[in-house]
């Protein structure tokens, strides 16, 4: 088994990863709230954890990977009570069942994840499917004295929890005194709470709230933070190995998760917390309000003022992996164009490598090649350092291209080393980093299917919006590529001529 070191947000140290049970890893990652199309920042997070999941499996672990779907409880502005549930609000505004909203955006999310070649998690539990477990957890927290009921809602009692010396603020680095004194001015309708730092475990539903369940406290719904505590405990145990998510979730979401876990059963959940960093664009935070934003779709189609053209999912994946998951990643058109070149160079080296053969039993380059291969492991073992792993693949690529181009004689490499190089190079590129050659996106592969269903969805939406220009442009461009689209009452189908 590889000795993997991870940067643990909980201790702020790089630590040797030791699973609770030898050979097994429990991995929980906070999934999307499915009330809108998945953001590019989320795509970055899920691609990053996909590589972590892939490498742990590659290193020989049996991994149970849980990535939830938040389909209730996530309130606008992340505040409690007065704010509205994101999904409930969308459903009310669009006159849909909340579960229609959930289904629509869950499918879109899955399409996008498939496009970026991320592996599906072992279990993808939904918050609404675990109301009983969440109510059970509230019962335990109440019984242990760390929560109180007020007017049909239940709140976590942070001052009491903190007074007993329990860990609050450790993960996010927030100072407990500041948390307790946070101003009430930005918190509306919070008079039910004993302290502004308290957070909701159960929220009594008001009449406009569409998603509601009966409980002994009120007809209501669970607080957003609770689902991850309840579902990680259910599928991975009270104590498990790795919890991941975007670093914007450290506070309050992850801090509150730990408090709930400790409050319910004295275990804080995960031993190692891994956080992905922010995705920037042109050096600035992405923000809808000032237009400095781009959706995954716009990035794929090139229909945005921020990019000169569209980029393939594999190029975008390559671009994401060029930064370490814990560093900020700055999206720029130049950066994407460079990533496109890099991706193609890597794929070309892979093609060249697979065509190589030698009759030598050993060669002068053997040690150097073996060294280069061990660097791949070394860098992935070092907190899943994908940029360094890519750099090591490029070091090997220059040798490969030299061998393929005749600048280096094929007698310089032994057959056994060449075989190993082929296996390891392809494994790291495709299995670990998940970078597939473009040609495998041909035919009727899953990637092509996903891409086409996405494109036809956009066209359908354009037709619904009577945006004939976009709809026709998509049909005509596909026709130029010999893809024929047939429209029928129940949807469109496509064939390659
Ligand atoms: Zn979560």
């Amino acid at each position: 088994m590889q000795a993997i070191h991870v940067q643990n947000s909980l201790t702020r140290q790089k630590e040797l990863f030791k699973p609770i049970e030898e050979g097994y890893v429990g991995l929980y990652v906070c999934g999307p709230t499915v009330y809108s199309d998945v953001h590019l920042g989320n795509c970055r997070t899920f691609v990053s954890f996909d590589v972590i999941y892939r490498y742990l499996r590659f290193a020989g672990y049996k991994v149970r990977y849980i990535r939830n779907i938040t389909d209730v409880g996530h309130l606008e502005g992340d505040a409690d009570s007065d704010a509205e549930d994101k999904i409930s609000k969308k459903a009310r505004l669009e006159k849909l069942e909340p579960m229609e909203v959930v289904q629509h955006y869950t499918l879109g999310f899955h399409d996008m994840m498939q496009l970026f070649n991320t592996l599906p998690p072992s279990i993808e539990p939904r918050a609404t499917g675990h109301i009983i477990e969440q109510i059970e957890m509230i019962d335990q927290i109440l019984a242990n004295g760390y929560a109180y009921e007020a007017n049909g809602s239940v709140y976590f009692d942070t001052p009491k929890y903190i007074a007993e010396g329990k860990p609050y603020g450790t993960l996010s680095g927030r100072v407990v005194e500041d948390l307790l004194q946070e101003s009430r001015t930005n918190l509306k309708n919070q008079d039910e709470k004993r302290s502004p730092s308290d957070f909701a475990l159960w929220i009594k539903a008001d009449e406009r709230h569409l998603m509601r369940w009966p409980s002994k406290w009120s007809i209501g719904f669970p607080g957003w933070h609770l689902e991850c505590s309840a579902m990680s405990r259910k599928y991975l145990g009270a104590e498990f190995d790795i919890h991941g998510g975007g670093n914007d979730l450290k506070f309050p979401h992850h801090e509150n998760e730990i408090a709930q876990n400790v409050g319910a059963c004295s275990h804080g959940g995960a031993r190692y917390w891994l956080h992905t960093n922010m995705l920037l664009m042109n050096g600035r935070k992405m923000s809808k309000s000032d237009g400095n934003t781009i959706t995954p779709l716009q990035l794929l189609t090139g229909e945005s003022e921020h990019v000169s053209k569209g980029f393939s999912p594999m190029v975008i994946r390559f671009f994401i992996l060029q930064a370490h998951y814990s560093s900020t990643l700055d999206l720029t058109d130049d950066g994407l164009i460079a990533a496109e070149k890099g991706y193609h160079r890597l794929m070309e080296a892979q093609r060249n490598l697979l065509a190589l053969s030698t009759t030598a039993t050993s060669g002068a380059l053997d040690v150097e090649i073996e060294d280069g291969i061990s660097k791949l492991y070394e860098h992935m073992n070092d907190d899943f350092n994908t940029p360094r792993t890519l750099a090591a693949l490029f070091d090997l690529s220059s040798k490969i291209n030299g061998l393929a181009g005749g600048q280096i004689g094929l007698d310089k490499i032994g057959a056994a080393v060449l075989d190993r190089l082929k296996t390891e190079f392809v494994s790291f590129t495709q299995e670990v980093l998940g970078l597939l050659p473009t040609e495998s996106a041909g035919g009727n592969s899953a990637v092509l299917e996903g891409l086409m269903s996405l494109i036809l969805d956009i066209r359908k939406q354009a037709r619904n919006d009577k945006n004939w220009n976009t709809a026709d442009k998509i049909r005509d461009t596909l026709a130029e590529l010999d893809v024929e689209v047939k429209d029928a009452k129940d949807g469109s189908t496509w064939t390659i001529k």
Side-chain angles (χ1 to χ4, degrees), residues 136-152:
E136 222 168 56
M137 202 156 192
I138 299 173
D139 274 334
Q140 289 163 346
I141 299 171
L142 276 168
N144 291 337
Y146 297 113
Y148 56 89
E149 190 198 334
N151 191 27

Side-chain angles (χ1 to χ4, degrees), residues 136-319:
E136 222 168 56
M137 202 156 192
I138 299 173
D139 274 334
Q140 289 163 346
I141 299 171
L142 276 168
N144 291 337
Y146 297 113
Y148 56 89
E149 190 198 334
N151 191 27
S153 292
V154 181
Y155 296 97
F156 192 91
D157 191 344
T158 46
K160 170 142 194 242
Y161 177 83
I162 292 165
E164 290 187 11
K166 302 271 198 275
Y168 197 68
T170 314
L171 179 71
S172 56
R174 300 267 177 132
V175 179
V176 167
E177 287 70 30
D178 294 351
L179 288 171
L180 291 176
Q181 278 161 27
E182 246 171 48
S183 161
R184 276 170 181 267
T185 50
N186 58 349
L187 300 168
K188 285 178 271 170
N189 202 17
Q190 300 290 285
D191 41 335
E192 287 172 0
K193 291 189 190 177
R194 292 182 192 163
S195 163
S197 57
D198 293 352
F199 56 91
L201 301 173
W202 186 261
I203 303 162
K204 184 179 170 183
D206 63 22
E207 56 300 327
R208 69 187 167 159
H209 202 276
L210 299 172
M211 301 171 90
R212 45 175 70 203
W213 291 264
S215 77
K216 65 190 82 155
W217 311 291
S218 65
I219 293 179
F221 57 98
W224 168 42
H225 314 301
L226 193 59
E227 61 174 278
C228 292
S229 288
M231 296 190 295
S232 63
R233 192 174 70 165
K234 174 165 174 137
Y235 296 112
L236 300 175
E239 212 184 356
F240 61 96
D241 298 302
I242 303 174
H243 193 311
N247 67 358
D248 55 328
L249 295 180
K250 267 189 194 169
F251 187 86
H253 185 57
H254 290 161
E255 203 70 73
N256 291 351
E257 259 190 75
I258 295 175
Q260 289 161 165
N261 288 350
V262 174
C265 59
S266 334
H267 277 300
R271 289 184 169 188
Y272 303 90
W273 285 78
L274 270 52
H275 286 98
T276 55
N277 211 323
M278 234 192 320
L279 177 67
L280 306 171
M281 188 160 70
N282 300 317
R284 288 188 299 133
K285 204 175 162 178
M286 281 211 204
S287 147
K288 260 189 198 161
S289 53
D290 68 359
N292 192 50
T293 187
I294 189 166
T295 66
L297 263 183
Q298 288 173 323
L299 194 51
L300 291 162
T301 59
E303 283 184 18
S304 158
E305 51 170 336
H306 299 295
V307 286
S308 54
K309 63 196 238 7
F311 294 91
S312 78
M314 284 299 111
V315 167
I316 299 167
R317 187 173 170 110
F318 182 96
F319 175 76

Side-chain angles (χ1 to χ4, degrees), residues 319-335:
F319 175 76
I320 290 171
L321 299 182
Q322 273 183 311
H324 188 253
Y325 74 87
S326 69
S327 309
T328 53
L329 171 62
D330 189 17
L331 187 106
T332 61
D333 192 48
D334 288 346

Side-chain angles (χ1 to χ4, degrees), residues 429-478:
T429 305
Q430 302 198 19
E431 212 178 308
V432 175
L433 299 179
L435 295 166
L436 300 177
T438 343
E439 56 262 39
S440 72
N444 280 332
S445 74
V447 175
L448 181 63
E449 291 284 351
L451 196 52
M452 280 306 298
S453 104
L454 198 65
I455 290 167
L456 292 180
D457 274 354
I458 304 168
R459 182 161 169 270
K460 187 175 153 205
Q461 190 61 48
R463 281 160 64 96
N464 287 347
D465 298 343
K466 302 207 183 336
N467 181 352
W468 307 118
N469 279 344
T470 302
D472 290 347
K473 188 182 166 198
I474 291 173
R475 192 198 50 212
D476 296 346
T477 310
L478 288 174

